[in-house]
Amino acid sequence: MSSLVPFKPDQVESEIHANGFLGFVSKLTLSAYKDEKVIEAIAVAASKRNRLVNDDDHSVLSRLEGSKFFEVQSILCEVIPLLETEPTELIELVQALVDHGGADLAANQPNVAFRQWCEADLGRADDVLQLAKDGNEQAQSYLVFALQAKGDFEEAIECIARTEEERTAGVLALSRMQLDEVQVSISLKKVIALALVEDIKTSCGITRAAYDIATKSHNVERDELLPLLDKLFASEDPVVVHLAASLLNWHQRAMNGAETNKCLEKIATVDAKNKGTIDEIDMALTKLIESGEVRAASFAAHAIVKRSKGAIDVDSLDSFFHKLTNGSSAQLAQLTLDWLSLGSFFPCAVLNGAISEINQTEPAFPVSEIPLPKTANEQIFLCRKAIGYLFTHPMTAAAFSVAVLMRGHDDAKQHMAELLFDPLLLSYSGALKDWLEAFAKDHEISRPSIEEALRRAQVVWDDCQGAREVVELEPSENARALVYFQKMEEYERTRDESGRRSIFADLFTTQHLLYGDRSAFNIMTSADSLEQKIMPFSEISISSELPKGIFVDPIGLDMMLDQFRHERMISQ
């Protein structure tokens, strides 16, 4: 491949001599990392230097910012595995790059390049291991990459009995190596024993590695991990909550029931301020839904929202709620039932924000998918909670009452017909009325009750319509037109006057936004010819109905809904 940079391979050495190692690399374009000859030439020339990275190179690095730094880093990551240099020299370069990259996810790429450097010649890995044993702190920090490159299980196990840095490197290396079943068993015993005696933060890191090791074998005795979780989850440290969320996110498929339950209980204590942990929880709960563990995810999310008093809401758990509302309707029905049956204010209020009936002609889930509690009292309680919290989604709220009419307890059915009439059909006469009429036609069991509720509501609204049509009090069409004309004139005068007096009038031009169903424009088809093109506009509309009760009897409606939301289950 030909070079895409303004230097040929035979020019590289002289350019590095003149401008310095990093000074030369900073002049290259990003496409240089694709040119193997240029990369090799840079590695050869840099390897000949008395010192791989000098003070001038550090000065160049400190001036690199933003995307330019990561362009230079990408080129260096191709060069590093080809360098012939001392481990300490290379560690100095890699550490400088990682430090300069900061919190960016791409900042760790030089560490990968260092591991590749060790893999290219395992003698280099041995040199790093020896330096670490001799107490070199830099080498100890990069020992994990040397161990990983060698894949030396015995050496990694031995590191666990040495200094703190070496222990960390050994544990991490074991979690990244290919291990057989015997090695997994030995590693887990060593790692778990170490985690049980370390402090909380260190133990969290070791526990994460222990779970990575456990995934390498299907025959792991997972109960061995429970004492470790018991020790950690007794702590209130936010790091422990994040660990529980991380384990649940990445290892839930391999976990047994006891492990999963312990993690679910711990993530319920998350602080709403810890956004990173909440994001991890969001992904973990979403995976639980995907694996069919709807009840576990439902009650965990309920506990999290309730404890945070609504501070953790639909936006905080957006992936979880998106999966529910755009996935299986039966799963959404199950979660809605669980939360409404518990009746806690904050979770039910959050649930209201997750459901939407805008531009919809049916409930959020079919009536047939709504599981019902057994007793009449429980069914009545559920339906009143559904109306109280989901009142702005009338079809979904009504679906619970209709489900009881279809297959609920006989003692609850009369109450359901009354709920359909008041407050639902007395407040909504649009999509809800249409859906109930269509549903009644196809379902004989619930037809009499639904039709009676529809009839009673229609009588009320017909009477209201007649009562408010007092012809003598209505203004004439001429009077209406005159008032409208006067208002428009007044609006126009006010707008023009305010525009002239505005301090911004001389600073900005006035633009007029035109409305229509198409846009016409001209394009040049030849040197002296224009052709008109017409682009039709698409219609965008949103349909939503306001409840009539907020105009007719707002106080009475609010009192009824508040009663539904806050009432408790009647004891039998």
Side-chain angles (χ1 to χ4, degrees):
M1 181 184 294
S2 62
S3 177
L4 300 176
V5 296
F7 300 102
K8 296 180 180 179
D10 57 2
Q11 297 176 305
V12 168
E13 186 170 353
S14 60
E15 290 291 337
I16 288 180
H17 180 75
N19 298 289
F21 178 23
L22 297 189
F24 168 71
V25 174
S26 66
K27 292 183 177 183
L28 301 176
T29 61
L30 180 60
S31 55
Y33 84 95
K34 297 180 180 179
D35 194 314
E36 295 180 0
K37 292 183 179 180
V38 171
I39 294 297
E40 290 175 2
I42 294 172
V44 170
S47 299
K48 293 179 179 179
R49 307 183 81 202
N50 292 330
R51 184 179 175 189
L52 180 63
V53 182
N54 56 30
D55 292 340
D56 290 337
D57 293 313
H58 283 293
S59 179
V60 170
L61 182 61
S62 66
R63 294 194 297 270
L64 294 174
E65 296 181 354
S67 60
K68 183 58 181 176
F69 164 74
F70 287 104
E71 287 181 9
V72 171
Q73 177 184 275
S74 296
I75 297 172
L76 290 173
C77 285
E78 297 296 319
V79 173
I80 286 172
L82 305 178
L83 290 172
E84 294 289 343
T85 186
E86 293 297 318
T88 53
E89 294 268 306
L90 187 58
I91 289 173
E92 180 184 356
L93 170 61
V94 171
Q95 189 61 50
L97 291 172
V98 171
D99 290 343
H100 195 79
D104 194 286
L105 293 176
N108 288 323
Q109 290 305 309
N111 289 335
V112 177
F114 182 83
R115 175 175 56 77
Q116 293 171 343
W117 178 79
C118 292
E119 289 173 345
D121 182 352
L122 294 182
R124 299 168 178 173
D126 290 331
D127 291 341
V128 175
L129 288 171
Q130 188 58 51
L131 285 170
K133 290 178 182 178
D134 293 342
N136 186 293
E137 293 183 359
Q138 283 185 315
Q140 289 176 352
S141 298
Y142 282 79
L143 176 59
V144 60
F145 305 113
L147 290 171
Q148 191 178 356
K150 286 194 68 176
D152 192 331
F153 172 74
E154 297 297 336
E155 188 68 42
I157 289 292
E158 290 178 12
C159 285
I160 295 178
R162 297 177 191 158
T163 65
E164 182 178 349
E165 286 284 354
E166 290 176 288
R167 282 201 302 271
T168 301
V171 170
L172 286 176
L174 289 170
S175 70
R176 299 172 184 177
M177 288 179 184
Q178 294 291 331
L179 304 176
D180 58 34
E181 287 192 9
V182 174
Q183 291 173 333
V184 167
S185 179
I186 295 171
S187 300
L188 272 181
K189 284 182 172 59
K190 292 278 187 181
V191 170
I192 291 173
L194 179 62
L196 288 172
V197 298
E198 290 286 355
D199 61 82
I200 291 297
K201 291 188 177 180
T202 303
S203 183
C204 282
I206 296 173
T207 300
R208 187 175 283 106
Y211 268 81
D212 289 338
I213 293 170
T215 60
K216 300 177 188 296
S217 172
H218 297 294
N219 298 321
V220 170
E221 184 56 53
R222 302 201 67 88
D223 285 347
E224 294 179 0
L225 295 163
L226 296 180
L228 192 51
L229 296 184
D230 289 336
K231 173 208 170 180
L232 290 172
F233 292 171
S235 169
E236 299 297 325
D237 196 308
V239 175
V240 176
V241 182
H242 189 87
L243 172 69
S246 179
L247 295 181
L248 197 61
N249 182 27
W250 296 106
H251 298 283
Q252 63 176 256
R253 291 185 181 277
M255 286 180 173
N256 60 27
E259 292 172 276
T260 301
N261 290 336
K262 289 178 185 295
C263 288
L264 287 173
E265 290 175 7
K266 194 61 188 178
I267 63 174
T269 65
V270 65
D271 190 324
K273 297 177 182 178
N274 295 336
K275 184 67 169 60
T277 302
I278 293 172
D279 289 343
E280 196 84 21
I281 291 172
D282 186 25
M283 291 185 286
L285 294 180
T286 303
K287 290 180 179 178
L288 276 175
I289 292 291
E290 291 172 349
S291 61
E293 299 292 335
V294 184
R295 304 301 296 278
S298 168
F299 289 117
H302 183 278
I304 291 168
V305 174
K306 181 179 179 180
R307 188 177 184 276
S308 72
K309 295 184 178 180
I312 300 175
D313 55 11
V314 176
D315 293 332
S316 305
L317 302 175
D318 57 339
S319 295
F320 171 70
F321 282 108
H322 182 271
K323 184 66 179 178
L324 280 170
T325 55
N326 292 275
S328 168
S329 56
Q331 293 179 337
L332 178 59
Q334 181 65 64
L335 179 134
T336 305
L337 170 76
D338 291 340
W339 288 25
L340 292 176
S341 296
L342 292 171
S344 300
F345 176 80
F346 291 107
C348 291
V350 168
L351 179 63
N352 178 60
I355 294 174
S356 174
E357 288 185 359
I358 292 177
N359 288 344
Q360 299 297 312
T361 58
E362 293 183 347
F365 33 78
V367 171
S368 60
E369 293 184 349
I370 300 175
L372 292 176
K374 294 181 179 179
T375 69
N377 279 349
E378 289 173 330
Q379 292 171 7
I380 293 171
F381 181 82
L382 170 65
C383 294
R384 289 166 71 91
K385 290 295 179 185
I387 293 173
Y389 285 105
L390 305 180
F391 186 69
T392 54
H393 317 297
M395 289 182 289
T396 304
F400 286 89
S401 298
V402 173
V404 173
L405 289 174
M406 290 290 296
R407 47 194 167 84
H409 199 285
D410 289 340
D411 293 342
K413 289 185 178 181
Q414 181 57 42
H415 193 77
M416 296 305 102
E418 189 62 32
L419 288 178
L420 286 180
F421 168 66
D422 183 17
L424 289 173
L425 284 170
L426 286 186
S427 293
Y428 296 97
S429 59
L432 172 63
K433 177 175 174 289
D434 295 340
W435 173 69
L436 285 173
E437 288 175 342
F439 188 90
K441 289 179 181 179
D442 299 331
H443 298 82
E444 186 175 351
I445 296 176
S446 59
R447 185 185 304 160
S449 298
I450 294 175
E451 288 182 344
E452 176 62 16
L454 288 166
R455 185 195 64 78
R456 292 173 63 193
Q458 190 61 49
V459 169
V460 172
W461 289 116
D462 287 345
D463 291 344
C464 289
Q465 184 68 25
R468 66 172 173 257
E469 289 179 357
V470 182
V471 179
E472 290 78 6
L473 298 179
E474 292 186 4
S476 66
E477 291 299 322
N478 289 338
R480 292 177 185 272
L482 178 60
V483 171
Y484 178 76
F485 180 74
Q486 290 173 341
K487 284 184 177 180
M488 293 305 295
E489 279 193 327
E490 182 65 24
Y491 292 158
E492 189 172 349
R493 285 196 301 269
T494 302
R495 183 196 63 206
D496 293 342
E497 184 65 24
S498 61
R500 285 192 296 270
R501 293 185 180 184
S502 173
I503 61 174
F504 300 108
D506 296 331
L507 300 177
F508 302 100
T509 58
T510 301
Q511 294 183 338
H512 298 279
L513 182 63
L514 303 179
Y515 295 87
D517 60 0
R518 70 194 68 128
S519 174
F521 54 93
N522 296 324
I523 61 172
M524 188 74 71
T525 57
S526 62
D528 56 354
S529 176
L530 287 175
E531 180 180 345
Q532 188 180 64
K533 296 289 185 181
I534 297 177
M535 180 177 67
F537 290 163
S538 298
E539 180 181 347
I540 299 177
S541 64
I542 293 178
S543 175
S544 183
E545 183 182 4
L546 289 175
K548 297 180 180 67
I550 66 175
F551 305 109
V552 178
D553 183 19
I555 296 176
L557 179 61
D558 280 347
M559 287 181 64
M560 179 184 291
L561 296 180
D562 278 341
Q563 179 184 350
F564 287 177
R565 290 172 190 144
H566 298 293
E567 67 186 5
R568 298 182 180 180
M569 173 72 73
I570 300 173
S571 59
Q572 294 181 317

